[in-house]
Each structure stands twice: as structure tokens, then as C-alpha cells.
């Protein structure tokens, strides 16, 4: 208890001296009451600045305590404790995965941050068999899920591009990548969840049991409960991957080919794409890890154009089936209209392919370019308006700007479950578009946020019908517009599972006091 008092005084001084508003600092007795909770893990107070940082590097809202849960019961006890304080307490609780949010979504200003990676009591267990699955902790990194399941020759079906994200974090959004066109997002590949609700109840849910909570939590931005365990569907894992990149000079043939590939029965296993603006020597950059199909033509290819479109695909194979893979790839490529000189490919292990962004992370970290601000903008664009969107955004708004990769690839709506909380357009095919900016140098944050605003403003004016993925809104009208006709149901679910609006305050959808009113 003495230690807690000292920590509290230190915190008070820290917040006062640093100029951070102290209005969120709860009364001493509130903080001290945390010390009375019987826990398998512990609260800490020295790591508050770390819990107020995220990948976006644009927001910092220090909590008053960090819980390192030793068990699911620790999480339930803590949330229940805050729930019992009632609606006049300002204390909130945020589950923090790997803190890879962009605008403070996993932070809790003056509240409690639960470090989900500390939850080691939920042991990962692979269940092979006819319908294989893995049970994993909500705080587990996907890279660890992959490593474990590969030992059984199995792997999850649907991925994100980067695997150093947590199971609970991506399932609270959707989890999308080049497998989404076929398997749906990660939230379409979950059989069961264990959740601690905003009342501190521990509930197991699935499509058959407590199904409303199950669907609410998937893509639910952490609003309805803390995912402590997820049961994830698996499939046999290939050993190798043929990884292919080709370039297009025009958007129409690029997207027509993408759409043809995602609707074909026999097709690639991963289909993505990206847009390159004002980048020189793109093929030369590829040479460090890819081989040109025709080295001579590739060396003559003029890539110094303003806008290029890259289609990226993979075909899975095991070494003994390499010949069949070659034939299938050849047949598929022969249907595409890319620039022939730009065909590059390489063969890598399944692990190397899935963990590919981590290799870039290591290089960027070495140059000090990983922990820079990331004013990302992720959008979902309906197929019917993607051409109007592209013309204005790539041709005009971003004409002279090149702050990082721009992803653009279509997915099939039929693979998404409309009972989940994630918001998608009402069209059979829609595009995932990610502007993955890094803000480097003076004024870069302001300039990039301004570009993001221009993209959003244009989309609104031209009725493009975009939705934000990993949404970042601050006002109630924005959230209402985001959820559209589903807003009432979303609010209703909030009232059911987290009536005091304790959970995930960093999403800025609901405010805890005086009651669970929207912001
Ligand atoms: P956090 O950022 O810590 O949390 C995200 C939100 O979920 C917060 O509101 C938090 O309170 C809540 N939360 C966290 N854990 C739980 C839990 N167990 N239960 C309930 N709520 C919880 N996304 C894609 O879909 N596809 C991609 O290809 C992709 N690539 C990425 C690449 C990089 C380099 C980065 C930084 C992010 C990428 N993302 C991608 C985005 C990623 O899905 C989000 O950042 C997401 O927030 C997951 O990160 P996290 O596990 O660190 O969760």
C-alpha cells in the first residue's frame, strides 16, 4: 500500500509537471482501491508513458495504471471493480494489444490499460483433426500463432499483412489481407470467443451460444468486451509460395484483372495490389528479392512514370508439386494484361512470405524510420465508384506526394458476415485502400493529415460512399454516419454489454459519464 501511495504521488507530480491535464487523475482512494484487488498478476505504474504510445505516434493519453493480468479472472475482477464504482467515476479500461493503433485507440486517458500480451495463462492449443482449430489468447501475436500451428502442418486461413499484431486487436477491427477475397477477413474465420464484458462477466460465445455478443465483438472496436481467448479455424499449410509482382500502366486493366482473379474459381491464393506515385526505379528495387522473368526486357523498362499499378499474387505449393504450380501460374498469368517486361517472381517459404513486413520493419528500425509518426488513412471504397476515386486521388490530390505505400485490392462481400460489427459497403465487390504514410521531416504530419482530409472531403462531396477501416472519428455525427442504419443496433449492443461505457475509450465513440451517452 505504501508503494501505491508513493506511485500515486509520483504520478501526480509527473502529470502536473509535464503540463498534461490532470482532470482525469482519479481520487487517491480510487487508485488505492486497485491495490485491494486479489490478483494473479499485478498493476504497474512505472510504464504509463509506454502505455500512452502507439504505432501512429500522434496521440498520447497517459493512463493511471497498467494491469499485467496473470489470468482472465484478473481482467474480470478489474473491470467488475470499475463497473461497481458506478457511472460517476470517470475510470475507464482499455485492452492494449501490441499498441499498433494509429490515433490512440488502445489508450485510456486517466484510466487503466490492460497489457494483453501479459496474459500468459491462456495457453495456445492446436487441435488437429477434420476441422482443425487453435485456441489462442487475445493478447497473442499472430506470428506466434503461425509458429505454433506450423508445427502441426497447419495455419490460419486469413491474415493481415503484418503479423506482429495481436489476435484480440485485429479481431476487434476485421483483419484483412490478400487472402480476404477467398476466406473473408479474420473475423470470418473464428469459431468461438471468450470475452470479459463491461460488467466484468466472463462469457463464452460462438455462432451457436451467446451469438449476439460473438458477432458484436467481431469488428466491434473493443466496445463490447475484452477478447481473452479466440478459437481460430485452421487449414493445411503449404511449405512454399510462388510470389509474383507485375506492373500496369492503366488503372482500368489493373482493376479488371484483379476483379477477374478474385471471382475465378481456380486462382491465386493471395491477391493484393498497390499504387506507386512518383517513384523511380521500382523494378530495380524489386531486384534485391525478386527475379525478372525476362532480365533484358526488364532492364529496358521505363518506370519513371507518375503513376504505376502493381498487382501482387502468390500461389502456394509443396516442392513435390512444383511442376503443377508452374502450369497453373502460367495459365493464370496468360489471362492478364500487365506489361510483360515487368513480370518478377521469387519462391519463399510460407513463413517468409507471411512475415514479410517484419523484414521491412527490421530495415526501417535500423534507419530510425519505424518509430516515426504514421498518419495512415484506411478506406473501403465501393467498386462502382473506385474509378472516380482513383482519378481524383492518384491523379490530382496525391500527384506530387509520395509518403509511403498505397495498397489497393478488391474483396468479395459474400465472404463477410453482416452480423458482425464491421461496416462495409452494400456492393458485391469493394476495394480496400490503405494510404500507409510515414511523416518524416518538418510539417510532414500537418501536410499528410491535410492530404487525408482532402481525400475524405472529395469522397464525401462526390458521393463515393467510402467507409473508414480502422476508423478514426471524434464526433457523434461522424460515428452515426459511419454506422448509418446500424447505429441504433450498435448503441443497443453497447447498452447491453458495456452499459457504463468503460471499455476502449480511445475509440472515442462513447463517453463514460454522466451516463453511457455517445460523445
Ligand atoms: P491495439 O492497437 O493495441 O488495439 C486495437 C483496438 O482494439 C483498441 O481499441 C484496443 O482497445 C482494442 N483491443 C486490443 N486488444 C483487445 C482485446 N483482446 N479485446 C478487445 N479489444 C481489444 N490491419 C489489417 O486488417 N490488415 C493489415 O494488413 C494490417 N497491417 C498492418 C501493418 C502494420 C505495420 C500496422 C502497424 C498495423 C496493421 N494493421 C493491419 C492494423 C491493425 O489491425 C491494427 O493496428 C490493430 O489495432 C491491431 O493492432 P494491435 O493488436 O496492436 O491492437
Amino acid at each position: 500500500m505504501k508503494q501505491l501511495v508513493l506511485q500515486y504521488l509520483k504520478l501526480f507530480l509527473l502529470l502536473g509537471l509535464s503540463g498534461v491535464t490532470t482532470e482525469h487523475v482519479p481520487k487517491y482512494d480510487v487508485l488505492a482501491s486497485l491495490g485491494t484487488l486479489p490478483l494473479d498478476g499485478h498493476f504497474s505504474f512505472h510504464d504509463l508513458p509506454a502505455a500512452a504510445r502507439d504505432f501512429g505516434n500522434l496521440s498520447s493519453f497517459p493512463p493511471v495504471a497498467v494491469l499485467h493480468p496473470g489470468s482472465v479472472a484478473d481482467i474480470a475482477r478489474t473491470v467488475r471493480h470499475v463497473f461497481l464504482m458506478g457511472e460517476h467515476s470517470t475510470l475507464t479500461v482499455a485492452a492494449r494489444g501490441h499498441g499498433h493503433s494509429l490515433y490512440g485507440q488502445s489508450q485510456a486517458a486517466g484510466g487503466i490499460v490492460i497489457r494483453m500480451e501479459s496474459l500468459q495463462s491462456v495457453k495456445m492449443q492446436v487441435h488437429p483433426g477434420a476441422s482443425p482449430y487453435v485456441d489462442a489468447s487475445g493478447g497473442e501475436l499472430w506470428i506466434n500463432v503461425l509458429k505454433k500451428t506450423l508445427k502441426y502442418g497447419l495455419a490460419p486461413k486469413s491474415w493481415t499483412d503484418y503479423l506482429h499484431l495481436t489476435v484480440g486487436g485485429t479481431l476487434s477491427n476485421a483483419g484483412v489481407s490478400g487472402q480476404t477475397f477467398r476466406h473473408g477477413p479474420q473475423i470470418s474465420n473464428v469459431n468461438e470467443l471468450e470475452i470479459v464484458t463491461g460488467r466484468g462477466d466472463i462469457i463464452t460465445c460462438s455462432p451457436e451460444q451467446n451469438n449476439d455478443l460473438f458477432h458484436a465483438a467481431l469488428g466491434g472496436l473493443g466496445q463490447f468486451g475484452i477478447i481473452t481467448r479466440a478459437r481460430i479455424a485452421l487449414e493445411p499449410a503449404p511449405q512454399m509460395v510462388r510470389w509474383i509482382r507485375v506492373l500496369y500502366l492503366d488503372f482500368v486493366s489493373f482493376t479488371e484483372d484483379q476483379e477477374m482473379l478474385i471471382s475465378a474459381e481456380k486462382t491465386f491464393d493471395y491477391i493484393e495490389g498497390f499504387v506507386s506515385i512518383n517513384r523511380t526505379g521500382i523494378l530495380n528495387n524489386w531486384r534485391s528479392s525478386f527475379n525478372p522473368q525476362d532480365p533484358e526486357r526488364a532492364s529496358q523498362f521505363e518506370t519513371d512514370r507518375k503513376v504505376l499499378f502493381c498487382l501482387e499474387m502468390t500461389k502456394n505449393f509443396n516442392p513435390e508439386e512444383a511442376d503443377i504450380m508452374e502450369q497453373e501460374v502460367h495459365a493464370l498469368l496468360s489471362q492478364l494484361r500487365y506489361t510483360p517486361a515487368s513480370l518478377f517472381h521469387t519462391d519463399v517459404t510460407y513463413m517468409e512470405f507471411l512475415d514479410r513486413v517484419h523484414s521491412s520493419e527490421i530495415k526501417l528500425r535500423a534507419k530510425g524510420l519505424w518509430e516515426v509518426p504514421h498518419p495512415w488513412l484506411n478506406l473501403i471504397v465501393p467498386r462502382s465508384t473506385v474509378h472516380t476515386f482513383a482519378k481524383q486521388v492518384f491523379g490530382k490530390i496525391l500527384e506530387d506526394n509520395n509518403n509511403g505505400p498505397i495498397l489497393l485490392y478488391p474483396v468479395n462481400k459474400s465472404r463477410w458476415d453482416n452480423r458482425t460489427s464491421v461496416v462495409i459497403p452494400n456492393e458485391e465487390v469493394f476495394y480496400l485502400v490503405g494510404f500507409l504514410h510515414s511523416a518524416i521531416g518538418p510539417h510532414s504530419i500537418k501536410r499528410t493529415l491535410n492530404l487525408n482530409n482532402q481525400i475524405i472531403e472529395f469522397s464525401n462531396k462526390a458521393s463515393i460512399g467510402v467507409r473508414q477501416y480502422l476508423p478514426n472519428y471524434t464526433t457523434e455525427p461522424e460515428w452515426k454516419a459511419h454506422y448509418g442504419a446500424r447505429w441504433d443496433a450498435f448503441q443497443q449492443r453497447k447498452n447491453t454489454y458495456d452499459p457504463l461505457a468503460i471499455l476502449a475509450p480511445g475509440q472515442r465513440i462513447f463517453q463514460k459519464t454522466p451516463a453511457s451517452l455517445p460523445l
Side-chain angles (χ1 to χ4, degrees):
M1 181 62 81
K2 197 172 147 203
Q3 197 198 2
L4 204 70
V5 175
L6 281 174
Q7 291 287 5
Y8 176 75
L9 286 174
K10 242 200 243 167
L11 171 74
F12 196 83
L13 279 173
L14 192 79
L15 294 182
L17 291 176
S18 65
V20 175
T21 174
T22 53
E23 69 182 339
H24 287 295
V25 177
K27 290 196 182 79
Y28 160 72
D29 52 351
V30 170
L31 208 57
S33 72
L34 297 178
T36 64
L37 291 176
L39 297 177
D40 299 309
H42 64 278
F43 280 103
S44 66
F45 304 90
H46 65 275
D47 47 359
L48 306 182
R53 258 203 310 270
D54 61 23
F55 181 77
N57 221 337
L58 294 156
S59 327
S60 181
F61 305 106
V64 294
V66 176
L67 172 66
H68 298 260
S71 62
V72 174
D74 281 0
I75 297 176
R77 268 184 213 121
T78 302
V79 177
R80 167 81 69 166
H81 182 75
V82 176
F83 178 72
L84 291 176
M85 287 177 182
E87 64 184 25
H88 299 295
S89 154
T90 54
L91 210 59
T92 54
V93 178
R96 176 185 166 91
H98 207 45
H100 275 42
S101 290
L102 300 163
Y103 298 96
Q105 286 94 336
S106 58
Q107 300 178 28
I112 298 168
V113 165
I114 302 185
R115 191 178 177 276
M116 293 302 294
E117 283 183 82
S118 303
L119 182 63
Q120 299 294 331
S121 66
V122 180
K123 295 275 172 256
M124 201 167 7
Q125 275 196 328
V126 179
H127 298 260
S131 306
Y133 61 84
V134 58
D135 278 321
S137 158
E140 195 61 77
L141 293 178
W142 283 98
I143 181 68
N144 295 335
V145 177
L146 177 63
K147 283 180 183 163
K148 178 88 176 187
T149 54
L150 279 182
K151 288 188 181 149
Y152 296 77
L154 298 165
K157 301 172 183 178
S158 185
W159 292 99
T160 45
D161 292 344
Y162 175 61
L163 306 191
H164 297 249
L165 305 168
T166 63
V167 167
T170 71
L171 294 184
S172 296
N173 285 294
V176 294
S177 185
Q179 303 84 7
T180 303
F181 77 94
R182 172 178 289 153
H183 295 294
Q186 290 181 318
I187 55 171
S188 295
N189 294 278
V190 180
N191 302 341
E192 186 182 285
L193 295 172
E194 180 188 73
I195 288 178
V196 174
T197 68
R199 297 170 187 272
D201 297 324
I202 303 173
I203 297 183
T204 300
C205 55
S206 69
E208 292 79 36
Q209 185 190 3
N210 299 311
N211 63 345
D212 187 64
L213 176 59
F214 178 75
H215 292 121
L218 294 171
L221 306 177
Q223 295 304 304
F224 310 109
I226 296 175
I227 298 168
T228 48
R229 177 180 57 79
R231 180 164 291 179
I232 299 150
L234 303 175
E235 64 178 5
Q239 289 174 40
M240 299 294 294
V241 160
R242 165 72 48 99
W243 184 5
I244 303 159
R245 282 182 178 170
V246 291
L247 288 176
Y248 289 74
L249 306 183
D250 76 298
F251 191 69
V252 173
S253 40
F254 167 63
T255 47
E256 280 180 1
D257 279 359
Q258 281 188 320
E259 288 175 25
M260 183 273 290
L261 287 175
I262 66 155
S263 64
E265 205 155 291
K266 262 193 163 265
T267 188
F268 290 104
D269 294 299
Y270 157 102
I271 299 166
E272 279 202 11
F274 53 87
V275 184
S276 162
I277 300 179
N278 265 339
R279 286 177 63 186
T280 50
I282 184 167
L283 292 190
N284 267 341
N285 293 343
W286 289 3
R287 279 173 210 279
S288 57
S289 21
F290 289 82
N291 308 309
Q293 176 84 1
D294 182 340
E296 205 176 313
R297 280 172 85 187
S299 63
Q300 288 159 11
F301 181 62
E302 179 59 66
T303 60
D304 296 348
R305 297 171 66 97
K306 265 204 155 345
V307 186
L308 287 168
F309 306 98
C310 169
L311 176 55
E312 184 174 64
M313 308 144 280
T314 68
K315 192 82 184 159
N316 299 340
F317 69 101
N318 290 326
E320 64 276 15
E321 304 151 354
D323 288 350
I324 303 171
M325 178 276 293
E326 295 276 6
Q327 286 164 23
E328 288 176 353
V329 165
H330 181 74
L332 285 165
L333 289 177
S334 67
Q335 299 171 49
L336 304 180
R337 287 170 293 164
Y338 58 88
T339 301
S342 69
L343 173 57
F344 277 60
H345 68 80
T346 183
D347 292 347
V348 293
T349 65
Y350 196 43
M351 168 70 101
E352 281 168 333
F353 173 69
L354 290 177
D355 201 25
R356 62 199 177 281
V357 176
H358 187 53
S359 317
S360 309
E361 174 183 353
I362 292 168
K363 286 181 201 150
L364 289 171
R365 275 191 191 281
K367 293 183 199 158
L369 294 176
W370 181 258
E371 285 173 356
V372 297
H374 294 104
W376 286 10
L377 176 66
N378 285 278
L379 298 175
I380 304 183
V381 183
R383 175 183 179 273
S384 61
T385 52
V386 77
H387 293 269
T388 315
F389 177 87
K391 205 168 161 198
Q392 181 72 13
V393 173
F394 307 136
K396 297 219 171 103
I397 298 176
L398 297 182
E399 203 182 0
D400 297 313
N401 293 280
N402 177 30
N403 290 351
I406 303 171
L407 304 181
L408 187 144
Y409 56 96
V411 293
N412 296 304
K413 178 169 169 258
S414 60
R415 306 286 190 247
W416 296 62
D417 186 335
N418 64 9
R419 292 169 297 178
T420 64
S421 293
V422 71
V423 175
I424 54 170
N426 194 18
E427 285 194 19
E428 283 316 308
V429 170
F430 51 84
Y431 280 78
L432 301 167
V433 186
F435 300 92
L436 313 185
H437 313 291
S438 293
I440 301 160
H443 315 300
S444 184
I445 298 178
K446 204 170 155 200
R447 200 175 53 235
T448 312
L449 289 172
N450 181 33
L451 288 171
N452 290 349
N453 280 339
Q454 285 183 46
I455 294 171
I456 291 168
E457 271 171 26
F458 160 74
S459 301
N460 289 343
K461 246 191 227 152
S463 301
I464 298 291
V466 299
R467 306 289 195 169
Q468 281 193 36
Y469 176 58
L470 313 172
N472 170 38
Y473 301 114
T474 50
T475 66
E476 187 194 352
E478 286 173 322
W479 281 112
K480 272 188 166 173
H482 176 71
Y483 284 102
R486 303 181 64 194
W487 171 248
D488 287 347
F490 190 82
Q491 233 182 343
Q492 183 54 49
R493 280 173 162 174
K494 184 71 175 175
N495 284 336
T496 306
Y497 302 114
D498 181 23
L500 295 187
I502 289 167
L503 302 176
Q507 297 282 0
R508 293 175 291 182
I509 308 174
F510 300 97
Q511 196 173 21
K512 190 176 177 199
T513 53
S516 58
L517 294 173
L519 279 180

